[in-house]
Amino acid sequence: MIVKNEEAKITRALSWGEGVIWERIVVDTGSTDRTAEIAESLGASVWHFPWNDDFSAAKNFALEKAKGDWIFFLDADEYPRPEDEKKILTEIQIAEDLGYDGISTGLANLDDEGNIGAVGAQVRLFRNSSNLRYYRRVHEQLKRTDGGFPGLTDATGEILILHDGYQTEVYEGKKKSERNRRLLERELTDHPNDYEIMGYLGDVYQTDGNRAEAKRWFSQAVSLMPDTLPEYDRRSEATLASLIEILVQEREEKELLAVYRRATALFSEAADFDYLLGCYMGAAERWAESAKYLASGIEKLNRYGTGGYAMLLGAHLVDAYGDLALAYLKAGQEKEAVETSVAFLRVKPYDGKVLRILLECFRGAEEASNPIYCQDVLAFLEKLYSFADSRNRFFVRQVILRAGWPVLAQTLTAKWGE
């Protein structure tokens, strides 16, 4: 890892992986705190590299110091889940057997409460080879020295790296954005048609709240993309998703649909494109179309995991099921609405909005006042809620009453009490 002023996190960063990691290399780029001292006390090999506004240069310096056959390159605020540590050697063996250069793993941002937010994929685990090096001053990427991409196995479903520095980065975003913009502009001067760099510049302006400039850079990047891209080109997927998100916000439907078609042609497994279009159609109350796209996005995420781009949908998956249930209901697809609502409520049982959607699927104009029918509905709800628990009785009764179904509320009280 390369570090600077990480004394608060360096101990944890160097303490995991007993029995898996045998050499820990820390390259300090100018710390003014005790980072290097603590790293040395923990047995790490500490090297010093004068910062020169080039992340790749610092990382490549670190690679040159490694003696092992494989490298796990992490930041000081990143670490694998404890249960995933023992999987690392297995995944390395699989990659070696197949003759691949690296392993794609999951990467999840954690919020202040430790909950997983956006989930993506990164190449952090790869062979120690002189043919693999980082390039670019910022948003560095691992490539072969001949310019090609390393062959990768997909372990996104097996190894998840947790990143808990995300909130701090958000709070320090302005300073970071200014640095990144400066380095990206230097890269673009050297490589004027680099659509990946343009995408990163769009990110900087989007973070700063300058949507017009972000849209300009994302659009320019998309216009320069070739008709065929590597399926693991996460940068281009992110650029397309960000542009679609802006077009959704601006309700530019003609351009939105054109970019969506381009995006799905380039990356057929990416879930976020369908998710964003489903949200757009839902906001426009075009329910059948919303259900179609939301269901497609969820199906892609379930089938391909984070191997297909699903940063947004992965972070909002449970809520997406709720949106899908509503779309099905409004589109008159009651059977699908029931199935989706039940799937949602098994994960998030105290969501009154989705429980009400489920109730609306059951409540017919004539059946609502029929006590026998209400008993059947109650029997169905008993599969989701233990009404022996007074909290469940109270919650469900309140939702039933707000839904305007007093006979069902009376049926619940008669059987289970207040």
Side-chain angles (χ1 to χ4, degrees):
M1 63 183 66
I2 63 171
V3 299
K4 182 177 180 180
N5 294 333
E6 294 284 3
E7 66 178 4
K9 294 183 177 179
I10 194 66
T11 298
R12 184 191 65 189
L14 296 174
S15 298
W16 68 273
E18 185 69 28
V20 177
I21 304 299
W22 67 274
E23 178 187 42
R24 291 171 170 82
I25 296 170
V26 174
V27 171
D28 190 277
T29 61
S31 294
T32 56
D33 62 7
R34 297 179 59 246
T35 299
E37 177 187 342
I38 295 171
E40 286 180 341
S41 72
L42 293 170
S45 174
V46 178
W47 301 82
H48 296 273
F49 183 84
W51 179 244
N52 62 353
D53 274 353
D54 192 328
F55 283 93
S56 286
K59 286 192 169 184
N60 289 335
F61 176 81
L63 295 184
E64 292 168 3
K65 306 304 177 184
K67 303 180 185 68
D69 295 325
W70 281 75
I71 291 169
F72 208 162
F73 214 126
L74 299 177
D75 292 338
D77 53 12
E78 296 174 346
Y79 53 96
R81 293 180 301 189
E83 63 268 28
D84 292 348
E85 291 182 24
K86 59 182 178 294
K87 302 176 185 177
I88 293 172
L89 296 182
T90 300
E91 294 302 324
I92 286 176
Q93 188 63 60
I94 292 172
E96 287 188 338
D97 290 345
L98 295 173
Y100 284 102
D101 300 315
I103 299 168
S104 180
T105 68
L107 179 68
N109 292 323
L110 303 180
D111 63 21
D112 288 335
E113 285 72 46
N115 300 313
I116 292 178
V119 179
Q122 291 282 338
V123 182
R124 301 299 184 85
L125 187 56
F126 51 91
R127 290 180 187 272
N128 183 7
S129 168
S130 60
N131 293 323
L132 291 175
R133 287 295 182 266
Y134 287 98
Y135 78 108
R136 291 202 187 113
R137 294 177 178 87
V138 66
H139 293 300
E140 58 283 359
Q141 187 172 4
L142 189 72
K143 291 184 76 171
R144 295 200 306 262
T145 52
D146 63 6
F149 289 94
L152 304 173
T153 59
D154 182 6
T156 53
E158 300 298 324
I159 300 174
L160 183 65
I161 299 169
L162 304 178
H163 172 211
D164 68 0
Y166 179 70
Q167 292 300 321
T168 300
E169 290 174 7
V170 170
Y171 298 142
E172 297 176 350
K174 185 173 179 59
K175 181 178 179 181
K176 184 178 179 181
S177 291
E178 291 172 353
R179 179 203 67 195
N180 287 357
R181 184 186 297 111
R182 174 170 49 83
L183 298 181
L184 288 167
E185 287 172 350
R186 288 176 62 187
E187 283 289 319
L188 203 55
T189 298
D190 296 340
H191 309 283
N193 291 321
D194 191 329
Y195 54 87
E196 292 185 354
I197 291 297
M198 293 175 184
Y200 285 121
L201 268 173
D203 286 347
V204 170
Y205 284 107
Q206 191 171 45
T207 299
D208 288 347
N210 190 337
R211 189 165 69 186
E213 274 298 288
K215 180 182 178 182
R216 182 172 77 86
W217 283 111
F218 289 141
S219 297
Q220 191 169 343
V222 170
S223 71
L224 290 170
M225 289 178 185
D227 292 334
T228 303
L229 289 169
E231 63 181 16
Y232 46 80
D233 183 352
R234 296 290 177 255
R235 176 60 255 173
S236 296
E237 287 178 318
T239 296
L240 287 158
S242 295
L243 180 56
I244 289 173
E245 192 170 12
I246 288 174
L247 295 173
V248 165
Q249 294 167 351
E250 295 183 347
R251 307 198 65 75
E252 295 282 351
E253 183 167 328
K254 183 177 180 180
E255 187 177 357
L256 168 62
L257 293 175
V259 175
Y260 168 81
R261 288 191 292 269
R262 179 88 190 281
T264 52
L266 286 168
F267 302 103
S268 60
E269 297 178 1
D272 273 355
F273 308 144
D274 294 274
Y275 171 63
L276 286 166
L277 198 55
C279 292
Y280 170 81
M281 295 298 178
E285 297 187 358
R286 290 155 62 176
W287 301 113
E289 292 171 281
S290 178
K292 173 183 134 182
Y293 289 114
L294 289 173
S296 175
I298 291 172
E299 191 273 334
K300 287 179 181 179
L301 178 59
N302 289 336
R303 177 182 296 182
Y304 304 115
T306 53
Y309 195 81
M311 291 283 286
L312 293 171
L313 180 55
H316 302 97
L317 181 57
V318 176
D319 292 334
Y321 271 97
D323 294 338
L324 178 58
L326 177 62
Y328 277 140
L329 174 65
K330 295 292 187 178
Q333 297 174 256
E334 285 85 1
K335 178 178 179 294
E336 291 82 358
V338 170
E339 292 172 348
T340 307
S341 298
V342 169
F344 178 101
L345 292 169
R346 291 195 187 283
V347 177
K348 199 174 179 182
Y350 300 111
D351 190 295
K353 173 186 171 183
V354 176
L355 177 55
R356 187 161 176 174
I357 290 171
L358 179 62
L359 294 173
E360 290 297 330
C361 294
F362 290 143
R363 187 176 64 171
E366 299 179 2
E367 296 92 338
S369 59
N370 185 326
I372 296 177
Y373 178 73
C374 288
Q375 289 174 11
D376 292 338
V377 174
L378 180 61
F380 188 94
L381 293 175
E382 287 171 339
K383 298 176 182 178
L384 292 172
Y385 298 94
S386 171
F387 289 123
D389 187 329
S390 61
R391 294 171 298 177
N392 289 342
R393 295 198 303 273
F394 177 80
F395 167 74
V396 174
R397 184 184 294 109
Q398 292 302 309
V399 176
I400 290 172
L401 290 172
R402 291 193 185 100
W405 198 345
V407 178
L408 180 59
Q410 294 165 9
T411 304
L412 173 62
T413 301
K415 182 171 183 180
W416 291 98
E418 291 292 343

PDB file of all heavy atoms in Angstrom, residues 302-316:
ATOM      1  N   ASN A 302     -29.068 -10.211 -10.099  1.00  0.00           N
ATOM      2  CA  ASN A 302     -29.135 -11.554  -9.529  1.00  0.00           C
ATOM      3  C   ASN A 302     -28.324 -12.560 -10.347  1.00  0.00           C
ATOM      4  O   ASN A 302     -27.727 -13.489  -9.799  1.00  0.00           O
ATOM      5  CB  ASN A 302     -30.592 -12.017  -9.451  1.00  0.00           C
ATOM      6  CG  ASN A 302     -31.374 -11.278  -8.378  1.00  0.00           C
ATOM      7  OD1 ASN A 302     -30.796 -10.761  -7.424  1.00  0.00           O
ATOM      8  ND2 ASN A 302     -32.688 -11.198  -8.535  1.00  0.00           N
ATOM      9  N   ARG A 303     -28.287 -12.369 -11.666  1.00  0.00           N
ATOM     10  CA  ARG A 303     -27.586 -13.319 -12.528  1.00  0.00           C
ATOM     11  C   ARG A 303     -26.080 -13.071 -12.562  1.00  0.00           C
ATOM     12  O   ARG A 303     -25.287 -13.999 -12.462  1.00  0.00           O
ATOM     13  CB  ARG A 303     -28.126 -13.248 -13.952  1.00  0.00           C
ATOM     14  CG  ARG A 303     -27.387 -14.177 -14.914  1.00  0.00           C
ATOM     15  CD  ARG A 303     -27.912 -14.066 -16.332  1.00  0.00           C
ATOM     16  NE  ARG A 303     -29.301 -14.493 -16.431  1.00  0.00           N
ATOM     17  CZ  ARG A 303     -29.983 -14.531 -17.586  1.00  0.00           C
ATOM     18  NH1 ARG A 303     -29.381 -14.165 -18.713  1.00  0.00           N
ATOM     19  NH2 ARG A 303     -31.239 -14.929 -17.609  1.00  0.00           N
ATOM     20  N   TYR A 304     -25.692 -11.804 -12.674  1.00  0.00           N
ATOM     21  CA  TYR A 304     -24.272 -11.486 -12.884  1.00  0.00           C
ATOM     22  C   TYR A 304     -23.579 -10.904 -11.660  1.00  0.00           C
ATOM     23  O   TYR A 304     -22.358 -10.773 -11.652  1.00  0.00           O
ATOM     24  CB  TYR A 304     -24.127 -10.507 -14.048  1.00  0.00           C
ATOM     25  CG  TYR A 304     -24.753 -10.989 -15.325  1.00  0.00           C
ATOM     26  CD1 TYR A 304     -25.841 -10.330 -15.885  1.00  0.00           C
ATOM     27  CD2 TYR A 304     -24.260 -12.111 -15.975  1.00  0.00           C
ATOM     28  CE1 TYR A 304     -26.429 -10.770 -17.066  1.00  0.00           C
ATOM     29  CE2 TYR A 304     -24.834 -12.565 -17.153  1.00  0.00           C
ATOM     30  CZ  TYR A 304     -25.922 -11.891 -17.700  1.00  0.00           C
ATOM     31  OH  TYR A 304     -26.498 -12.335 -18.857  1.00  0.00           O
ATOM     32  N   GLY A 305     -24.359 -10.565 -10.633  1.00  0.00           N
ATOM     33  CA  GLY A 305     -23.763  -9.961  -9.450  1.00  0.00           C
ATOM     34  C   GLY A 305     -23.111  -8.641  -9.786  1.00  0.00           C
ATOM     35  O   GLY A 305     -23.500  -7.946 -10.728  1.00  0.00           O
ATOM     36  N   THR A 306     -22.077  -8.270  -9.013  1.00  0.00           N
ATOM     37  CA  THR A 306     -21.381  -7.020  -9.285  1.00  0.00           C
ATOM     38  C   THR A 306     -20.376  -7.185 -10.408  1.00  0.00           C
ATOM     39  O   THR A 306     -19.643  -6.249 -10.732  1.00  0.00           O
ATOM     40  CB  THR A 306     -20.668  -6.514  -8.015  1.00  0.00           C
ATOM     41  OG1 THR A 306     -19.833  -7.564  -7.495  1.00  0.00           O
ATOM     42  CG2 THR A 306     -21.674  -6.086  -6.974  1.00  0.00           C
ATOM     43  N   GLY A 307     -20.324  -8.398 -11.008  1.00  0.00           N
ATOM     44  CA  GLY A 307     -19.511  -8.565 -12.196  1.00  0.00           C
ATOM     45  C   GLY A 307     -20.044  -7.714 -13.334  1.00  0.00           C
ATOM     46  O   GLY A 307     -19.300  -7.233 -14.170  1.00  0.00           O
ATOM     47  N   GLY A 308     -21.387  -7.529 -13.365  1.00  0.00           N
ATOM     48  CA  GLY A 308     -21.987  -6.544 -14.246  1.00  0.00           C
ATOM     49  C   GLY A 308     -22.175  -5.264 -13.446  1.00  0.00           C
ATOM     50  O   GLY A 308     -22.416  -5.298 -12.248  1.00  0.00           O
ATOM     51  N   TYR A 309     -22.062  -4.106 -14.082  1.00  0.00           N
ATOM     52  CA  TYR A 309     -22.059  -2.841 -13.347  1.00  0.00           C
ATOM     53  C   TYR A 309     -23.388  -2.644 -12.631  1.00  0.00           C
ATOM     54  O   TYR A 309     -24.450  -2.607 -13.248  1.00  0.00           O
ATOM     55  CB  TYR A 309     -21.790  -1.684 -14.310  1.00  0.00           C
ATOM     56  CG  TYR A 309     -21.429  -0.416 -13.591  1.00  0.00           C
ATOM     57  CD1 TYR A 309     -20.136  -0.209 -13.131  1.00  0.00           C
ATOM     58  CD2 TYR A 309     -22.383   0.563 -13.351  1.00  0.00           C
ATOM     59  CE1 TYR A 309     -19.794   0.943 -12.464  1.00  0.00           C
ATOM     60  CE2 TYR A 309     -22.052   1.713 -12.681  1.00  0.00           C
ATOM     61  CZ  TYR A 309     -20.754   1.909 -12.240  1.00  0.00           C
ATOM     62  OH  TYR A 309     -20.428   3.052 -11.571  1.00  0.00           O
ATOM     63  N   ALA A 310     -23.340  -2.509 -11.311  1.00  0.00           N
ATOM     64  CA  ALA A 310     -24.563  -2.387 -10.520  1.00  0.00           C
ATOM     65  C   ALA A 310     -24.318  -1.558  -9.264  1.00  0.00           C
ATOM     66  O   ALA A 310     -24.813  -1.872  -8.198  1.00  0.00           O
ATOM     67  CB  ALA A 310     -25.091  -3.763 -10.145  1.00  0.00           C
ATOM     68  N   MET A 311     -23.543  -0.494  -9.391  1.00  0.00           N
ATOM     69  CA  MET A 311     -23.207   0.334  -8.243  1.00  0.00           C
ATOM     70  C   MET A 311     -24.459   0.922  -7.592  1.00  0.00           C
ATOM     71  O   MET A 311     -24.637   0.862  -6.382  1.00  0.00           O
ATOM     72  CB  MET A 311     -22.270   1.466  -8.664  1.00  0.00           C
ATOM     73  CG  MET A 311     -20.881   1.021  -9.067  1.00  0.00           C
ATOM     74  SD  MET A 311     -19.841   0.614  -7.654  1.00  0.00           S
ATOM     75  CE  MET A 311     -19.483   2.249  -7.027  1.00  0.00           C
ATOM     76  N   LEU A 312     -25.345   1.504  -8.395  1.00  0.00           N
ATOM     77  CA  LEU A 312     -26.542   2.154  -7.855  1.00  0.00           C
ATOM     78  C   LEU A 312     -27.570   1.129  -7.396  1.00  0.00           C
ATOM     79  O   LEU A 312     -28.085   1.205  -6.280  1.00  0.00           O
ATOM     80  CB  LEU A 312     -27.155   3.079  -8.915  1.00  0.00           C
ATOM     81  CG  LEU A 312     -26.316   4.302  -9.291  1.00  0.00           C
ATOM     82  CD1 LEU A 312     -26.923   5.005 -10.499  1.00  0.00           C
ATOM     83  CD2 LEU A 312     -26.226   5.265  -8.113  1.00  0.00           C
ATOM     84  N   LEU A 313     -27.873   0.166  -8.244  1.00  0.00           N
ATOM     85  CA  LEU A 313     -28.865  -0.840  -7.887  1.00  0.00           C
ATOM     86  C   LEU A 313     -28.393  -1.667  -6.700  1.00  0.00           C
ATOM     87  O   LEU A 313     -29.186  -1.993  -5.809  1.00  0.00           O
ATOM     88  CB  LEU A 313     -29.161  -1.733  -9.083  1.00  0.00           C
ATOM     89  CG  LEU A 313     -30.198  -2.850  -8.853  1.00  0.00           C
ATOM     90  CD1 LEU A 313     -31.503  -2.278  -8.321  1.00  0.00           C
ATOM     91  CD2 LEU A 313     -30.429  -3.633 -10.132  1.00  0.00           C
ATOM     92  N   GLY A 314     -27.103  -1.996  -6.661  1.00  0.00           N
ATOM     93  CA  GLY A 314     -26.587  -2.753  -5.535  1.00  0.00           C
ATOM     94  C   GLY A 314     -26.762  -2.032  -4.218  1.00  0.00           C
ATOM     95  O   GLY A 314     -27.010  -2.643  -3.177  1.00  0.00           O
ATOM     96  N   ALA A 315     -26.654  -0.700  -4.248  1.00  0.00           N
ATOM     97  CA  ALA A 315     -26.800   0.092  -3.029  1.00  0.00           C
ATOM     98  C   ALA A 315     -28.259   0.302  -2.643  1.00  0.00           C
ATOM     99  O   ALA A 315     -28.560   0.609  -1.487  1.00  0.00           O
ATOM    100  CB  ALA A 315     -26.117   1.443  -3.194  1.00  0.00           C
ATOM    101  N   HIS A 316     -29.174   0.156  -3.598  1.00  0.00           N
ATOM    102  CA  HIS A 316     -30.595   0.432  -3.338  1.00  0.00           C
ATOM    103  C   HIS A 316     -31.477  -0.760  -3.708  1.00  0.00           C
ATOM    104  O   HIS A 316     -32.635  -0.589  -4.085  1.00  0.00           O
ATOM    105  CB  HIS A 316     -31.040   1.666  -4.132  1.00  0.00           C
ATOM    106  CG  HIS A 316     -30.256   2.904  -3.834  1.00  0.00           C
ATOM    107  ND1 HIS A 316     -29.204   3.315  -4.609  1.00  0.00           N
ATOM    108  CD2 HIS A 316     -30.358   3.801  -2.820  1.00  0.00           C
ATOM    109  CE1 HIS A 316     -28.690   4.426  -4.108  1.00  0.00           C
ATOM    110  NE2 HIS A 316     -29.365   4.739  -3.016  1.00  0.00           N
TER     111      HIS A 316
END
